Structures are given as structure tokens and as C-alpha cells.
Amino acid sequence: MIHRTQVGIVGAGPAGLLLGHLLHLNGIDSVIVEDRSREHVIDRVRAGVLEQGTVDLMTAMGVGRGVQHSGLRHEGLYISFLGQRHRINLAELTGGKAITVYGQNEVVRDLIEARAETGRPLLFEAEHVSVGGFDSSSPEIRFRHGGVDHALQCDFIAGCDGFHGICRPSIPSGSLTVHERQYPFAWLGILAEAAPSSDELVYTYHERGFALFSMRSPSMTRLYFQVPPDESIETWSDDAIWSEMLERMTTRDGWRPTVGRIIQKAVTPMRSFVATPMRHGRLFLAGDSAHIVPPTGAKGLNLAASDVLVLARALKEYFTDGRTEWLDRYPEVCARRVWKAQRFSWWMTSTLHRFPDENAFDYHRQIADLDYLTGSRAAMTSLAEQYVGLPAEVSFESAGL
Ligand SMILES: Cc1cc2nc3c(=O)[nH]c(=O)nc-3n(C[C@H](O)[C@H](O)[C@H](O)COP(=O)(O)OP(=O)(O)OC[C@H]3O[C@@H](n4cnc5c(N)ncnc54)[C@H](O)[C@@H]3O)c2cc1C
């Protein structure tokens, strides 16, 4: 079956769903093609920290009711080292900005509901998805859905299909440059039925390695600690996980996470990755399909949102009056923010983790880094403005909001 749309979107993660809604608000047709089921997409436990700008964007798009109602607004965070927690007042240092803890699965659920209300197509469980014809005026997404083969002809394709998707690998070799850094550790993360014992995130640097206390709701704690990169989750019993969490996180004043039943656990590798340019002909990459950050700076989902804001502006200008200036500028405009987020995520990761090849000099330098960070208003301001999110590269108004 042959169909036609203005923008074919591959992937119904945050990038694809946000883009689809931004286009809808500008009266631009799109079809979203997703290879997993609706339940799988919603149930995936991933990011949870939304920058101020991401919350503002969702609100401006009319999909912010859930995050406004159930999101946990945090005006500060803690950096903990040598057994002591130090609070960084994000709101005071940034003129009132904050982060909001709201699970990625909630974001995705809200966006899927909003898409359903628009009546525009969102196809789950598409099989054999492939893309091509980027250099022609009508690139195509081919897939099988409901037992029928489909060819979707588009003016543009948005590759929003994450790191393991098919869009980036469909670009001819030699047209993309990959910049990558692997880290010699991974994160063991758990979701536990336990009321958070802190209202704000606690980033811990400990002799045994990094640990992070966070939460998903008033009754659900999300915790992580650094493990070797090839660690198997099977080697960690729940008791062993809690013992390691408490060993790293308990502070001298007796603060510690509340222990509860672990309902989900996994090991996530850490990687920095950027593929440039984020465009090939009429294919535009957005979100994790083009770049990955280690989760320490909580930037992945937020970068996906800022990419598609720029892409929406570019597509709006093209479909309104045929101008291609912003389509042409898309890779360069996105790259500026992507690289700043890469730098911040690398810096947070390098400052807070223990490296296998480090020596006593490195240990004392890291402690000095943290001592400086938590004692200098200038250093805290630098962290705060990046953590709550640097300003968007384009205004909401320019993207039709
Ligand atoms: C385990 C894990 C933990 C994370 N934790 C954090 C965190 O704590 N903080 C943070 O900021 N970020 C975190 N991230 C990163 C964050 O989740 C991502 O940056 C974010 O999901 C990016 O959104 P996206 O829409 O670009 O990609 P994705 O969310 O990956 O969405 C891509 C979509 O495309 C679909 N797809 C893939 N291939 C195809 C295909 N061939 N055809 C059709 N559809 C396809 C996928 O099923 C998926 O629904 C984490 C990521 C992972 C994997």
C-alpha cells in the first residue's frame, strides 16, 4: 500500500512524539512508525530529570498537565563526598529555574495520549522498517504493518529511532563522522518501592565509586552505583545491592536511602557519542539516533527535546513559505547545544566516578574539584545553569508555539 505524508517519523520515543505534536500544532501532517508495542514503549524505565526548558516546552505545547500535576520540582541538589552532603541551590543560582523529576515513561504516555487525540497516525509494532531515497524529493519509509506491506512517501524523514535504530546506519558510509568515548564503568540501577529519604537528588563520590540517589515518585526511589563495564546483573543479589548502596551513600550525619523492595534492576553502559552532521539529504536525525550522553548530567531526553524544537522550526518555515535556511542550519544549530551537553555530561562523569587506572594524585585532585565546586559560588553557578538547562537555541514562538 502506498501512502503520502509531509514528515515521516521513525520512532515513538520522546523525540518522535514531541516532534509529531509540534508539527501537528503547526498543521503539518506526519506519520509516526514504531517497531515496538505501545506497552513496551510506555513501560521502558529510563530518564527522569526534565530541564526547566523541557517542562516549559511541554507546557507551551499543551501536553504539560501531567508534569505540572505529578512532577516533582527540585530547586536544589546535593553533592556528597567524604561523608558529607553539600547542597547546591539551583533556583537561587539561576534566577528561579529548577529541574522536575517526572519519569520518561510518564512523558511518553502523555505524548501518546495527546497524539491519539489529534487523530494523526501512530503505528506500533511495524515490522521490517527501512528508509531510503534521502537524495530524492520524496524519501520513503517502508514497513510491514497488520500483515500488509506499506511504502510511505514523505517530503522529509525524521530519524527519531534511538541509538540502535535503522536511520543512522542507512546513511551511506563516509557521509557521517562519529565522535565517541567509552567509559571504563557502567551503572547498576534499581527502582525500589521505598519513600525517598531526600527531597532532592544526591550525587555521591565515594572511595568505592560513584552512587546516585534519585526518585520517581513520593513512594518510589531510583538508585544507581558505578560497577565495572561488563558487570552481570545476575551476580548482584538484592541484599548485596542494598549493602553497596548504603556503604557508598550513608553520610556522617546518618542520612541514608530508605531500603525497600527492588522491582527493577539493570546495568547500563556509559558512552559519549555524536554522529555529525545530523542531516543527510532529506533525512534529519534527532535525539539518541544522533547522540548519546552518559546519564550523569541527565541530558539525554532533554537534548532530544531541544533537537526537535529546532527541527520543528525548520519544517514550519519550509512548509509555510518554502524557506530552507533553517533546514540547512539544523545540524550546526543542534551541534552547539549537543556539544555543550556532551562536555557537561563528560565533566560530571569524570568528576564523580573512580577510574580503574587512577592513582592517589587523581583521587586528591577529584576531592579538590568537589571541594572547589561546593565552596565557590561561581563554580556552583556554572553547574546550576547547565543542570537546569542552557537556553534553547530557538524560541518557542519561532517553532509556532
Ligand atoms: C537504560 C537507559 C537509561 C537511561 N537513563 C537516563 C537518565 O537517567 N537520564 C537521561 O536524561 N537520559 C537517560 N537515558 C537516555 C534517554 O532515555 C534518551 O536520551 C531518550 O530516550 C532519547 O529519546 P529518543 O526519542 O531520541 O530515543 P528513544 O527513547 O530510544 O526512542 C527511540 C524509539 O525508536 C524506536 N525504534 C528503534 N528502532 C526502530 C525501528 N527500526 N523502526 C521503528 N522504530 C524504532 C524505539 O523502540 C523507540 O521507541 C537512558 C537511556 C537508557 C537506554
Side-chain angles (χ1 to χ4, degrees):
M1 200 180 288
I2 297 178
H3 318 253
R4 182 147 194 99
T5 189
Q6 288 173 295
V7 183
I9 300 174
V10 185
L17 291 165
L18 282 167
L19 178 64
H21 203 69
L22 283 165
L23 296 178
H24 162 74
L25 294 172
N26 282 290
I28 300 169
D29 286 341
S30 66
V31 175
I32 305 180
V33 179
E34 163 65 50
D35 69 348
R36 309 304 292 256
S37 69
R38 185 180 196 277
E39 296 68 36
H40 179 92
V41 170
I42 290 177
D43 289 344
R44 250 183 327 219
V45 178
R46 285 186 168 181
V49 173
L50 303 186
E51 292 178 354
Q52 180 73 56
T54 305
V55 174
D56 293 345
L57 175 63
M58 290 180 67
T59 305
M61 290 170 65
V63 292
R65 205 150 43 102
V67 66
Q68 298 290 352
H69 183 259
S70 311
L72 307 172
R73 180 180 158 90
H74 290 191
E75 298 201 340
L77 60 75
Y78 290 93
I79 302 285
S80 176
F81 61 101
L82 300 179
Q84 212 177 334
R85 282 185 300 159
H86 305 260
R87 185 167 187 269
I88 296 185
N89 191 329
L90 300 171
E92 193 215 339
L93 293 164
T94 60
K97 293 183 185 163
I99 52 128
T100 299
V101 171
Y102 190 61
Q104 179 168 334
N105 47 327
E106 305 296 337
V107 172
V108 166
R109 177 184 291 118
D110 295 348
L111 291 169
I112 289 175
E113 282 171 11
R115 179 77 180 181
E117 280 170 27
T118 68
R120 295 189 189 272
L122 165 51
L123 308 176
F124 289 103
E125 299 181 60
E127 298 171 283
H128 313 301
V129 182
S130 66
V131 289
F134 315 131
D135 293 325
S136 75
S137 60
S138 188
E140 234 176 42
I141 306 176
R142 292 181 170 273
F143 56 97
R144 190 167 176 79
H145 189 253
V148 178
D149 289 327
H150 297 263
L152 179 64
Q153 297 175 341
C154 317
D155 291 317
F156 297 97
I157 296 177
C160 301
D161 51 347
F163 187 67
H164 299 288
I166 46 100
C167 288
R168 193 184 65 249
S170 304
I171 296 174
S173 59
S175 297
L176 274 188
T177 304
V178 165
H179 312 267
E180 191 168 17
R181 168 160 296 196
Q182 305 270 2
Y183 295 87
F185 36 74
W187 278 14
L188 188 156
I190 62 166
L191 193 62
E193 286 175 343
S197 60
S198 162
D199 290 341
E200 294 173 342
L201 274 67
V202 184
Y203 284 85
T204 299
Y205 175 84
H206 188 271
E207 276 182 19
R208 295 175 66 83
F210 170 83
L212 172 60
F213 173 94
S214 70
M215 64 293 289
R216 280 294 180 270
S217 72
S219 59
M220 208 62 86
T221 307
R222 180 99 165 116
L223 303 168
Y224 306 88
F225 59 76
Q226 166 187 353
V227 292
D230 48 2
E231 194 82 330
S232 163
I233 192 68
E234 310 308 329
T235 60
W236 285 89
S237 69
D238 290 3
D239 284 349
I241 290 174
W242 276 119
S243 166
E244 190 66 30
M245 289 289 182
L246 295 176
E247 171 87 27
R248 295 193 196 184
M249 290 189 193
T250 304
T251 49
R252 275 189 269 140
D253 61 4
W255 177 82
R256 48 189 266 165
T258 310
V259 174
R261 190 168 75 92
I262 296 176
I263 57 170
Q264 203 249 13
K265 55 181 176 179
V267 172
T268 307
M270 307 275 283
R271 172 190 276 131
S272 299
F273 175 96
V274 184
T276 55
M278 290 167 58
R279 170 188 187 176
H280 182 75
R282 285 183 172 241
L283 170 69
F284 290 80
L285 301 178
D288 276 18
S289 73
H291 41 72
I292 294 279
V293 284
T296 326
K299 292 285 167 246
L301 191 162
N302 296 293
L303 273 185
S306 52
D307 284 353
V308 298
L309 179 66
V310 179
L311 188 52
R313 176 191 177 150
L315 291 167
K316 169 183 169 278
E317 293 203 351
Y318 176 83
F319 286 114
T320 306
D321 53 25
R323 280 163 53 204
T324 59
E325 181 201 343
W326 276 86
L327 288 172
D328 295 337
R329 290 188 60 197
Y330 174 77
E332 160 235 322
V333 172
C334 288
R336 289 178 59 196
R337 189 183 176 81
V338 167
W339 276 109
K340 280 184 241 175
Q342 288 287 354
R343 192 211 67 81
F344 179 67
S345 303
W346 162 85
W347 172 77
M348 287 275 283
T349 304
S350 308
T351 305
L352 287 161
H353 287 73
R354 300 222 62 187
F355 286 71
D357 59 350
E358 70 182 30
N359 58 23
F361 176 89
D362 297 309
Y363 172 76
H364 290 290
R365 180 187 49 73
Q366 272 177 304
I367 294 291
D369 266 347
L370 293 167
D371 199 12
Y372 172 64
L373 170 64
T374 53
S376 155
R377 190 175 172 88
M380 284 190 282
T381 304
S382 173
L383 178 139
E385 68 177 6
Q386 295 179 83
Y387 199 76
V388 302
L390 295 172
E393 299 290 335
V394 302
S395 68
F396 292 174
E397 292 73 25
S398 71
L401 296 175

